[in-house]
Amino acid sequence: MNTQDILAQYGPREAMEYDVVVVGGGPAGLATAIRLKQLALEKGTDVSVVVLEKGSEPGAHILSGAIMDPRALTELIPDWKKLGAPLTQPVTGDEMLFLTQTGKLSTPEFLIPSSIHNEGNYIISLGNVVRWLGQQAEALGVEIFPGFAAAEILYNDDAAANDGVPSVKGIATGNLGVGKDGEPGGNFQLGMELHARYTIFAEGSRGNLGRQLIDKYKLDAGKDPQTYALGIKELWEIDPAKARPGHVVHSLGWPMDKHTYGGGFLYHLEGNKVTLGFITGLEYSNPWLSPFEEMQRWKTHPAIRQHLEGGKRIGYGARAITCGGLMSLPKTVFPGGALVGCEAGFLNFARIKGSHAAIKTGMLAAEAAYAALLKGRQHDELLEYPEAFENSWLFDELDASRNTKQWMKKGLYLSSLMNGIELWLLPKLGFKAPPWTIHSTVPDYARLKPAAECAPIVYPKPDNTLTFDRLTSVFISNTNHEEHQPAHLTLKDASVPVNINLAKYAGPESRYCPAGVYEYVKNPDQTDRLQINAQNCVHCKTCDIKDPTQNIVWVTPEGGGGPNYAGM
């Protein structure tokens, strides 16, 4: 039963009115809400703000390295230390390694670009920081609805006044209690509508609603195709004798080949914990490659293994990373709303940092929205937001690294050389940004080659001490979905996986998914079919990005479903 049929039988939906609705309770969304309430408090006005978070609580779905530059947080909440923000482990040293299969080369400190140095930054659990931001938002009067997934964009009937496209009216949350057959069950509950004068979308990388808005309003017209990476992360409790709180390790090279971009990170937290992960650029061409298995291989390198031996893995997760930078940044405003944070792609991939950019863009969007509300405006374009961004320190930062990801698509050696020139040499010569611009025109999914043209990759079996399989990993991500709901991983054409993906690309979805969601199995007549284990999904969005036929569409499951990350 489709939405219109459900509404005809069970509707209308209950509607709630707000000045601003924020979709997504991550750093960008919460910064938006906090700044709106701060401005209202300063001016003695009242602004109603609600934040919808599809996770069971703010932070439940948050996954990041993470090293945090506190610059934007200090602008948002100057007394964050006094208020107990969980930024307690400053970085004490940087180590940049180039790995061969068994050896390593350490980059001399004077050759590490200043943009990559981490003095003054903190090793954090971004999930814990987001939980704290949620507390600050609620203390200011922000309403937060955890466990509510924004499933549908609502539009006003004003297309004639907006060049043929309607303005955004708000969102509707997903229905609850719908069975696998799409029919309402005995515990069915209709979703609700949240209407706003402005709706801010902060869903994170490859947001389900954000991608619809980009398509509808052609926000990416004239831009390079957005590009992504997949970050796979683990949390370890290590031997106290090996603990080096504040120590940071980044690596390039092995196990990636010279044509494929990938790199690792390993950060020592307090409390004898290490957070580590591997990032694989999703422009890779060999369909036999498995980002999950590459991460497991990376841990076996002596330079990485030495930190982990004698320890225990206690957490796992995966998330796509939007990393095209300025060249792929879409227009961030449209009638009735705006995109902030990784929803748009503000992450600085050269610094491997996005939380400071998320907070800053949330603040800028909030300031534009508040000024518009004071003037009685609604449902128009908040043009003051992109203008403020272009005059901000964040724009200067992203402009300086605008070619970073584009060079990485040209192979390890050339990218290392050119990024070294742009990020290390040019600043010493007085250039604030490169005097040239590199463009990329091919989307990540279109770079995958037929399996017959590529060498198969044989990965070693896990030892269950240092390396593990996917299902064991998903278990410790605390992932759960209501098993009777429709699969939130949908296919435009059910025949495509076997007829094209399996036949031409050897079923790459069974390898690029880090959670074992996609599995080719045999029917009783020995024909093949794709089995989708949607209950395993950690909401990384890789399938939505890398599927070579763009046949897979990730949609929101019931609110509260997915991972429940702890300490990640």
Side-chain angles (χ1 to χ4, degrees), residues 21 23 153-155 158 162 165-171 197-203 209-220 330-340 343-344 377-383 385-386:
V21 168
V23 180
I153 304 167
L154 303 175
Y155 297 96
D158 60 356
N162 289 297
V165 290
S167 62
V168 170
K169 181 179 184 180
I171 61 90
R197 293 165 70 180
Y198 295 102
T199 307
I200 309 299
F201 292 83
E203 300 171 289
L209 301 185
R211 70 187 299 241
Q212 295 177 38
L213 291 164
I214 291 170
D215 289 343
K216 186 176 187 69
Y217 294 108
K218 298 180 174 55
L219 302 178
D220 56 354
K331 183 180 178 183
T332 54
V333 293
F334 45 86
L339 308 176
V340 295
E343 181 90 82
R377 290 164 48 193
Q378 63 178 348
H379 302 143
D380 58 2
E381 291 193 13
L382 295 169
L383 295 175
Y385 163 42

Side-chain angles (χ1 to χ4, degrees), residues 420-471:
I421 289 173
E422 292 190 1
L423 300 176
W424 182 83
L425 179 60
L426 291 183
K428 293 183 180 299
L429 297 177
F431 290 88
K432 291 184 178 180
W436 51 75
T437 298
I438 305 301
H439 290 280
S440 177
T441 59
V442 181
D444 291 343
Y445 68 86
R447 293 177 179 268
L448 207 63
K449 295 180 179 179
E453 297 178 12
C454 302
I457 303 174
V458 179
Y459 293 104
K461 292 183 178 180
D463 62 18
N464 297 316
T465 301
L466 181 66
T467 60
F468 304 90
D469 62 30
R470 292 181 224 209
L471 295 184

Side-chain angles (χ1 to χ4, degrees), residues 263-327:
F265 64 88
L266 186 148
Y267 308 149
H268 282 259
L269 293 155
E270 63 255 78
N272 305 321
K273 290 185 174 64
V274 163
T275 178
L276 69 153
F278 198 82
I279 297 170
T280 302
L282 289 179
E283 69 270 16
Y284 70 82
S285 61
N286 187 341
W288 299 104
L289 186 145
S290 165
F292 174 86
E293 301 291 354
E294 295 294 343
M295 194 273 187
Q296 300 304 310
R297 278 209 300 176
W298 171 75
K299 288 188 295 180
T300 67
H301 192 281
I304 307 304
R305 177 194 291 267
Q306 65 177 340
H307 296 269
L308 305 175
E309 286 182 326
K312 178 184 179 182
R313 189 178 71 153
I314 58 175
Y316 170 82
R319 190 69 173 93
I321 303 167
T322 309
C323 47
L326 278 185
M327 297 301 97

Side-chain angles (χ1 to χ4, degrees), residues 227 259 283 405-411 440 442 444 447:
T227 188
H259 303 296
E283 69 270 16
K405 187 61 168 139
Q406 283 71 18
W407 283 123
M408 288 174 179
K409 296 177 183 295
K410 299 182 182 298
S440 177
V442 181
D444 291 343
R447 293 177 179 268

Side-chain angles (χ1 to χ4, degrees), residues 13-35:
R13 293 180 286 215
E14 177 186 355
M16 302 175 70
E17 302 286 339
Y18 290 89
D19 291 317
V20 178
V21 168
V22 180
V23 180
L30 290 171
T32 303
I34 288 170
R35 187 65 185 137

Side-chain angles (χ1 to χ4, degrees), residues 143 276-277 319 338 481 513 541:
E143 295 183 47
L276 69 153
R319 190 69 173 93
H481 294 89
C513 173
K541 311 292 183 67

